[in-house]
Coordinates of all heavy atoms in Angstrom, one line a residue:
D150 N 41.6 96.4 69.6 CA 41.3 96.4 68.1 C 40.9 97.8 67.8 O 39.9 98.4 68.0 CB 40.1 95.5 67.7 CG 39.9 95.6 66.2 OD1 40.8 96.1 65.4 OD2 38.8 95.2 65.8
L151 N 41.9 98.5 67.2 CA 41.8 100.0 66.9 C 41.5 100.2 65.4 O 41.2 101.4 65.0 CB 42.9 100.8 67.3 CG 43.4 100.7 68.8 CD1 44.6 101.3 68.9 CD2 42.3 101.2 69.7
A152 N 41.4 99.2 64.6 CA 41.2 99.3 63.2 C 40.0 100.1 62.8 O 39.9 101.0 61.9 CB 41.2 97.9 62.5
K153 N 38.9 99.8 63.6 CA 37.5 100.5 63.2 C 37.6 101.8 63.7 O 36.7 102.7 63.1 CB 36.4 99.7 63.9 CG 36.0 98.4 63.2 CD 34.9 97.8 63.8 CE 34.9 96.4 64.2 NZ 35.4 96.1 65.4
G154 N 38.4 102.3 64.6 CA 38.4 103.7 65.1 C 39.3 104.6 64.4 O 39.5 105.7 65.0
L155 N 39.9 104.2 63.2 CA 40.9 105.1 62.6 C 40.0 106.3 62.1 O 38.9 106.3 61.7 CB 41.5 104.3 61.4 CG 42.5 103.3 61.8 CD1 42.9 102.5 60.6 CD2 43.7 103.9 62.5
S156 N 40.7 107.5 62.0 CA 40.0 108.8 61.6 C 40.2 109.0 60.0 O 41.2 108.5 59.5 CB 40.8 110.0 62.3 OG 40.9 109.9 63.5
S157 N 39.1 109.4 59.4 CA 39.2 109.5 57.9 C 39.4 111.1 57.7 O 39.0 111.9 58.6 CB 37.8 109.2 57.3 OG 36.8 110.1 57.7
P158 N 40.0 111.5 56.6 CA 40.3 112.8 56.3 C 39.0 113.7 56.2 O 38.9 114.8 56.7 CB 40.9 112.9 54.9 CG 41.5 111.4 54.7 CD 40.6 110.6 55.6
E159 N 37.9 113.0 55.8 CA 36.6 113.7 55.6 C 36.0 114.0 57.0 O 35.7 115.2 57.2 CB 35.6 112.8 54.9 CG 35.9 112.5 53.4 CD 37.0 111.4 53.3 OE1 37.2 110.6 54.2 OE2 37.7 111.5 52.2
E160 N 36.0 113.1 58.0 CA 35.6 113.6 59.3 C 36.5 114.5 60.0 O 36.0 115.4 60.7 CB 35.2 112.3 60.2 CG 36.3 111.4 60.6 CD 36.0 110.3 61.4 OE1 34.8 110.1 61.8 OE2 37.0 109.6 61.9
A161 N 37.8 114.3 59.7 CA 38.7 115.3 60.4 C 38.4 116.6 59.9 O 38.4 117.7 60.7 CB 40.1 114.8 60.0
K162 N 38.2 116.8 58.6 CA 37.9 118.2 58.1 C 36.6 118.7 58.6 O 36.5 119.9 59.1 CB 37.8 118.1 56.5 CG 37.6 119.4 55.8 CD 37.6 119.1 54.3 CE 36.8 120.1 53.5 NZ 37.4 121.5 53.4
Q163 N 35.6 117.9 58.6 CA 34.3 118.4 59.2 C 34.4 118.7 60.6 O 33.8 119.7 61.1 CB 33.3 117.2 59.0 CG 31.9 117.6 59.3 CD 30.9 116.5 59.4 OE1 31.2 115.3 58.9 NE2 29.8 116.6 60.1
F164 N 35.2 117.9 61.4 CA 35.4 118.2 62.9 C 36.1 119.5 63.1 O 35.6 120.3 63.9 CB 36.1 117.0 63.5 CG 36.3 117.1 65.0 CD1 35.2 116.7 65.8 CD2 37.4 117.7 65.5 CE1 35.3 116.9 67.2 CE2 37.5 117.8 66.9 CZ 36.5 117.4 67.7
V165 N 37.2 119.7 62.4 CA 37.9 121.0 62.6 C 37.1 122.2 62.1 O 37.1 123.1 62.9 CB 39.3 120.9 61.8 CG1 40.0 122.2 61.8 CG2 40.2 119.8 62.4
E166 N 36.4 122.1 61.0 CA 35.7 123.2 60.6 C 34.5 123.6 61.4 O 34.2 124.7 61.7 CB 35.2 123.0 59.1 CG 36.4 123.3 58.1 CD 36.1 122.9 56.7 OE1 34.9 122.4 56.4 OE2 36.9 123.0 55.8
S167 N 33.8 122.5 62.0 CA 32.6 122.7 62.7 C 32.9 123.1 64.2 O 32.1 123.8 64.8 CB 31.7 121.4 62.8 OG 31.7 120.9 61.6
T168 N 34.0 122.7 64.7 CA 34.4 123.0 66.1 C 35.1 124.3 66.4 O 35.1 124.9 67.4 CB 35.0 121.8 66.8 OG1 36.2 121.6 66.1 CG2 34.1 120.6 66.8
G169 N 36.0 124.6 65.4 CA 37.0 125.7 65.6 C 38.2 125.4 66.4 O 38.8 126.2 67.0
V170 N 38.5 124.0 66.6 CA 39.7 123.7 67.3 C 40.9 124.1 66.6 O 40.9 124.2 65.5 CB 39.8 122.1 67.6 CG1 38.7 121.7 68.6 CG2 39.7 121.4 66.3
D171 N 41.9 124.3 67.5 CA 43.3 124.8 66.9 C 44.1 123.5 66.5 O 44.9 123.7 65.7 CB 44.1 125.6 67.9 CG 43.3 126.8 68.5 OD1 43.2 127.8 67.8 OD2 42.8 126.6 69.7
I172 N 43.9 122.5 67.2 CA 44.7 121.4 67.1 C 43.8 120.0 67.0 O 42.8 120.0 67.7 CB 45.6 121.1 68.3 CG1 46.4 122.4 68.6 CG2 46.6 120.0 68.1 CD1 47.2 122.5 69.9
L173 N 44.2 119.1 66.2 CA 43.4 117.9 66.1 C 44.2 116.7 66.5 O 45.5 116.6 66.1 CB 42.9 117.7 64.7 CG 42.2 116.4 64.4 CD1 40.8 116.4 65.1 CD2 41.9 116.2 62.8
A174 N 43.6 115.8 67.3 CA 44.3 114.5 67.6 C 43.5 113.4 66.9 O 42.4 113.0 67.2 CB 44.2 114.3 69.1
P175 N 44.1 112.9 65.8 CA 43.5 111.8 65.0 C 44.0 110.5 65.4 O 45.0 110.3 66.1 CB 44.0 112.1 63.5 CG 45.3 112.8 63.7 CD 45.4 113.4 65.0
A176 N 43.3 109.5 65.0 CA 43.6 108.0 65.2 C 44.3 107.6 63.9 O 43.6 107.4 62.9 CB 42.4 107.2 65.6
V177 N 45.5 107.4 64.0 CA 46.3 107.0 62.8 C 47.2 105.8 63.0 O 48.4 105.7 62.4 CB 47.1 108.2 62.3 CG1 46.2 109.4 61.8 CG2 48.0 108.8 63.5
G178 N 46.8 104.9 63.8 CA 47.5 103.7 64.1 C 48.2 103.7 65.4 O 48.7 102.8 66.0
N179 N 48.1 104.9 66.0 CA 48.7 105.1 67.4 C 47.8 104.6 68.4 O 46.6 104.3 68.3 CB 48.9 106.7 67.5 CG 47.7 107.5 67.4 OD1 46.9 107.2 66.4 ND2 47.5 108.5 68.0
M180 N 48.4 104.3 69.7 CA 47.6 103.7 70.8 C 48.2 104.2 72.0 O 49.4 104.3 72.2 CB 47.7 102.2 70.7 CG 47.2 101.4 71.8 SD 47.9 99.8 71.6 CE 49.1 99.7 73.0
H181 N 47.4 104.5 73.1 CA 47.9 104.8 74.4 C 48.4 103.6 75.0 O 48.0 102.5 74.9 CB 46.7 105.4 75.4 CG 46.3 106.8 75.0 ND1 45.1 107.2 74.7 CD2 47.0 107.9 74.9 CE1 45.1 108.5 74.5 NE2 46.3 108.9 74.7
G182 N 49.5 103.9 75.9 CA 50.0 102.8 76.6 C 51.0 102.0 75.8 O 51.3 102.2 74.6
M183 N 51.7 100.9 76.3 CA 52.6 100.1 75.6 C 52.2 98.7 76.0 O 51.8 98.3 77.2 CB 54.0 100.3 76.1 CG 54.5 101.7 75.6 SD 56.1 102.1 76.4 CE 57.3 101.3 75.4
L184 N 52.4 97.8 75.0 CA 52.4 96.3 75.2 C 53.7 95.9 76.0 O 54.7 96.5 75.9 CB 52.2 95.5 73.9 CG 51.0 96.0 73.1 CD1 51.1 95.1 71.9 CD2 49.7 95.7 74.0
R185 N 53.6 94.8 76.7 CA 54.9 94.2 77.4 C 55.9 94.0 76.4 O 57.1 94.4 76.7 CB 54.5 93.0 78.1 CG 53.8 93.2 79.4 CD 53.5 92.0 80.2 NE 52.4 92.2 81.1 CZ 52.4 93.2 82.2 NH1 53.6 93.7 82.4 NH2 51.3 93.4 82.8
S186 N 55.6 93.6 75.2 CA 56.7 93.3 74.2 C 57.3 94.6 73.8 O 58.5 94.6 73.4 CB 56.1 92.6 73.1 OG 55.1 93.4 72.4
M187 N 56.6 95.8 73.9 CA 57.2 97.0 73.4 C 58.2 97.5 74.6 O 59.2 98.1 74.3 CB 56.1 98.0 73.3 CG 55.2 97.8 72.1 SD 53.8 98.9 72.0 CE 53.0 98.2 70.5
V188 N 57.8 97.3 75.8 CA 58.6 97.7 76.9 C 60.0 96.9 76.9 O 61.1 97.4 77.1 CB 57.9 97.4 78.3 CG1 58.9 97.7 79.4 CG2 56.7 98.3 78.4
R189 N 59.9 95.7 76.5 CA 61.1 94.7 76.3 C 61.8 95.2 75.0 O 63.0 94.7 74.7 CB 60.7 93.2 76.2 CG 60.2 92.8 77.6 CD 60.1 91.2 77.6 NE 59.2 90.8 76.5 CZ 57.9 90.4 76.8 NH1 57.5 90.5 78.0 NH2 57.3 89.9 75.8
G190 N 61.3 96.0 74.2 CA 61.9 96.5 73.0 C 61.8 95.5 71.8 O 62.4 95.6 70.8
E191 N 60.9 94.5 71.9 CA 60.7 93.4 70.9 C 59.8 93.8 69.7 O 59.9 93.3 68.7 CB 60.3 92.0 71.5 CG 61.3 91.5 72.6 CD 60.6 90.5 73.5 OE1 59.4 90.2 73.3 OE2 61.3 90.2 74.4
T192 N 58.8 94.6 70.1 CA 57.9 95.1 69.1 C 57.8 96.6 69.1 O 58.1 97.2 70.1 CB 56.5 94.5 69.2 OG1 55.9 94.8 70.5 CG2 56.4 93.0 69.2
K193 N 57.2 97.2 68.0 CA 57.1 98.6 67.9 C 55.6 98.9 67.3 O 55.1 98.1 66.6 CB 58.1 99.3 67.0 CG 59.6 99.1 67.4 CD 60.0 100.1 68.4 CE 61.4 100.0 68.8 NZ 61.7 100.8 70.0
K194 N 55.2 100.1 67.7 CA 53.9 100.5 67.1 C 54.3 101.1 65.7 O 55.3 101.6 65.5 CB 53.3 101.6 67.9 CG 52.8 101.3 69.2 CD 52.2 102.6 70.0 CE 52.2 102.3 71.4 NZ 52.0 103.5 72.2
R195 N 53.3 100.8 64.7 CA 53.6 101.4 63.4 C 52.4 102.3 63.1 O 51.3 102.2 63.6 CB 53.5 100.2 62.4 CG 54.6 99.1 62.6 CD 56.1 99.7 62.7 NE 56.4 100.5 61.6 CZ 57.2 99.9 60.5 NH1 57.6 98.7 60.5 NH2 57.5 100.7 59.5
L196 N 52.8 103.4 62.3 CA 51.8 104.4 62.0 C 51.2 104.4 60.6 O 52.1 104.0 59.6 CB 52.4 105.8 62.2 CG 52.9 106.0 63.8 CD1 53.6 107.3 63.9 CD2 51.7 105.9 64.7
D197 N 50.1 105.0 60.3 CA 49.6 105.0 59.0 C 50.0 106.4 58.4 O 49.2 107.4 58.5 CB 48.0 104.9 59.1 CG 47.3 104.8 57.7 OD1 48.0 105.2 56.7 OD2 46.2 104.2 57.6
I198 N 51.1 106.5 57.8 CA 51.7 107.8 57.3 C 50.8 108.4 56.3 O 50.6 109.6 56.3 CB 53.2 107.6 56.8 CG1 54.0 106.8 57.8 CG2 53.8 108.8 56.4 CD1 54.3 107.5 59.1
E199 N 50.3 107.6 55.4 CA 49.4 108.1 54.3 C 48.2 108.8 54.9 O 47.8 109.9 54.4 CB 48.9 107.1 53.4 CG 49.7 107.0 52.1 CD 50.0 108.3 51.5 OE1 48.9 109.0 51.1 OE2 51.1 108.7 51.4
R200 N 47.6 108.2 55.9 CA 46.4 108.8 56.6 C 46.8 110.1 57.2 O 46.0 111.1 57.2 CB 45.8 107.8 57.6 CG 44.5 108.1 58.2 CD 44.1 107.0 59.1 NE 43.8 105.7 58.5 CZ 42.7 105.3 57.9 NH1 41.6 106.0 57.9 NH2 42.6 104.1 57.4
I201 N 47.9 110.2 57.9 CA 48.4 111.5 58.4 C 48.5 112.6 57.4 O 47.9 113.6 57.6 CB 49.7 111.3 59.2 CG1 49.7 110.4 60.4 CG2 50.3 112.6 59.6 CD1 50.9 109.9 60.9
A202 N 49.1 112.2 56.3 CA 49.3 113.2 55.2 C 47.9 113.6 54.6 O 47.8 114.9 54.4 CB 50.2 112.6 54.1
S203 N 47.0 112.7 54.5 CA 45.7 113.2 53.9 C 44.9 114.0 55.0 O 44.1 114.8 54.5 CB 44.8 112.0 53.4 OG 45.5 110.8 53.5
I204 N 45.0 113.7 56.2 CA 44.3 114.4 57.2 C 44.9 115.9 57.3 O 44.2 116.8 57.4 CB 44.3 113.8 58.6 CG1 43.5 112.5 58.5 CG2 43.9 114.7 59.8 CD1 43.5 111.5 59.8
K205 N 46.2 116.0 57.2 CA 46.8 117.3 57.2 C 46.3 118.1 56.0 O 46.1 119.3 56.2 CB 48.4 117.1 57.1 CG 49.1 118.4 57.3 CD 49.0 118.9 58.7 CE 50.0 119.9 59.1 NZ 50.0 120.2 60.5
R206 N 46.4 117.5 54.8 CA 45.8 118.2 53.7 C 44.5 118.7 53.8 O 44.1 119.7 53.4 CB 46.0 117.3 52.4 CG 47.4 117.2 51.7 CD 47.4 116.6 50.3 NE 46.8 115.3 50.3 CZ 47.6 114.2 50.5 NH1 49.0 114.4 50.7 NH2 47.1 112.9 50.4
A207 N 43.6 117.8 54.4 CA 42.2 118.0 54.5 C 41.9 119.2 55.4 O 41.0 120.0 55.3 CB 41.5 116.8 54.8
T208 N 42.7 119.2 56.5 CA 42.3 120.2 57.7 C 43.3 121.3 57.8 O 42.9 122.5 58.2 CB 42.5 119.4 59.0 OG1 43.9 119.0 59.2 CG2 41.6 118.2 59.1
G209 N 44.5 121.2 57.5 CA 45.4 122.3 57.6 C 45.7 122.6 59.1 O 46.4 123.6 59.4
A210 N 45.2 121.8 60.0 CA 45.3 122.1 61.4 C 46.6 121.5 62.0 O 47.2 120.7 61.4 CB 44.1 121.4 62.2
F211 N 47.0 122.1 63.2 CA 48.1 121.4 63.9 C 47.6 120.0 64.2 O 46.4 119.8 64.8 CB 48.4 122.1 65.1 CG 49.1 123.5 64.8 CD1 48.4 124.7 65.3 CD2 50.3 123.5 64.3 CE1 49.0 125.9 65.1 CE2 50.9 124.9 64.0 CZ 50.2 126.0 64.4
L212 N 48.5 119.0 64.1 CA 48.0 117.6 64.5 C 49.0 117.1 65.6 O 50.1 117.3 65.7 CB 48.2 116.7 63.2 CG 47.4 117.0 62.0 CD1 47.7 116.0 60.9 CD2 46.0 117.1 62.2
T213 N 48.3 116.4 66.5 CA 49.0 115.7 67.6 C 48.9 114.2 67.5 O 47.9 113.7 67.1 CB 48.2 116.1 69.0 OG1 48.4 117.6 69.1 CG2 49.0 115.4 70.1
L214 N 50.1 113.6 67.8 CA 50.1 112.2 67.8 C 50.1 111.8 69.2 O 51.1 112.0 70.0 CB 51.4 111.6 67.1 CG 51.5 110.1 67.1 CD1 50.7 109.5 66.0 CD2 53.0 109.6 66.9
H215 N 49.0 111.2 69.8 CA 48.9 110.7 71.1 C 49.6 109.3 71.2 O 49.6 108.6 70.2 CB 47.5 110.6 71.7 CG 47.0 111.9 72.0 ND1 46.9 112.3 73.3 CD2 46.6 113.1 71.3 CE1 46.4 113.6 73.4 NE2 46.3 114.0 72.1
G216 N 50.0 108.8 72.3 CA 50.5 107.5 72.5 C 51.7 107.2 71.7 O 51.9 106.1 71.1
G217 N 52.6 108.1 71.8 CA 54.0 108.0 71.0 C 54.9 106.9 71.5 O 55.7 106.4 70.8
S218 N 54.8 106.6 72.8 CA 55.7 105.7 73.4 C 55.7 104.4 72.6 O 54.6 103.8 72.2 CB 55.2 105.4 74.9 OG 55.5 106.5 75.7
G219 N 56.9 103.7 72.5 CA 57.0 102.5 71.8 C 56.7 102.4 70.4 O 56.6 101.4 69.7
T220 N 56.8 103.6 69.7 CA 56.6 103.8 68.3 C 57.9 103.7 67.6 O 58.9 104.1 68.0 CB 55.9 105.1 67.9 OG1 54.7 105.2 68.6 CG2 55.6 105.1 66.4
D221 N 57.9 103.0 66.4 CA 59.1 102.9 65.5 C 59.6 104.3 65.3 O 58.9 105.2 64.8 CB 58.7 102.2 64.2 CG 59.8 101.9 63.3 OD1 60.7 101.2 63.5 OD2 59.8 102.7 62.2
D222 N 61.0 104.5 65.4 CA 61.6 105.8 65.3 C 61.4 106.3 63.9 O 61.2 107.5 63.6 CB 63.0 105.7 65.6 CG 63.3 105.9 67.1 OD1 62.3 106.1 67.9 OD2 64.5 106.0 67.5
D223 N 61.5 105.3 62.9 CA 61.4 105.8 61.5 C 60.0 106.3 61.2 O 59.9 107.3 60.5 CB 61.9 104.7 60.6 CG 62.6 105.3 59.3 OD1 63.4 106.2 59.6 OD2 62.2 104.9 58.2
D224 N 59.1 105.5 61.7 CA 57.7 105.9 61.6 C 57.4 107.4 62.2 O 56.6 108.2 61.6 CB 56.7 105.0 62.2 CG 56.4 103.8 61.3 OD1 57.1 103.6 60.2 OD2 55.4 103.1 61.5
L225 N 58.0 107.6 63.3 CA 57.9 109.0 64.0 C 58.4 110.0 63.0 O 57.8 111.0 62.8 CB 58.5 109.0 65.4 CG 57.9 108.2 66.4 CD1 58.6 108.0 67.6 CD2 56.5 108.9 66.7
R226 N 59.7 109.8 62.5 CA 60.3 110.8 61.6 C 59.3 111.1 60.4 O 59.1 112.2 60.0 CB 61.5 110.3 61.1 CG 62.7 110.5 62.0 CD 64.0 110.1 61.3 NE 65.0 109.7 62.3 CZ 65.2 108.4 62.6 NH1 64.8 107.4 61.9 NH2 66.1 108.1 63.6
R227 N 58.8 109.9 59.8 CA 57.9 110.1 58.7 C 56.6 110.8 59.0 O 56.1 111.5 58.3 CB 57.7 108.8 58.0 CG 59.0 108.2 57.3 CD 59.0 106.7 57.0 NE 57.9 106.4 56.1 CZ 57.1 105.3 56.2 NH1 57.3 104.4 57.2 NH2 56.2 105.0 55.3

Side-chain angles (χ1 to χ4, degrees):
D150 177 20
L151 301 174
K153 281 191 235 80
L155 291 172
S156 310
S157 73
E159 295 74 28
E160 67 174 4
K162 179 177 160 67
Q163 192 194 336
F164 184 82
V165 170
E166 284 175 358
S167 318
T168 58
V170 291
D171 305 286
I172 309 170
L173 177 71
V177 289
N179 50 326
M180 170 196 109
H181 282 124
M183 290 170 83
L184 301 178
R185 284 186 200 287
S186 57
M187 291 170 180
V188 176
R189 290 193 299 265
E191 296 161 8
T192 60
K193 297 279 184 192
K194 293 178 201 169
R195 303 303 305 263
L196 302 170
D197 188 339
I198 307 296
E199 259 318 298
R200 192 177 294 271
I201 294 169
S203 1
I204 291 173
K205 188 68 166 191
R206 276 194 301 273
T208 63
F211 291 116
L212 298 182
T213 297
L214 182 79
H215 282 255
S218 292
T220 306
D221 180 73
D222 276 3
D223 212 49
D224 274 16
L225 286 170
R226 280 188 206 100
R227 291 164 60 219

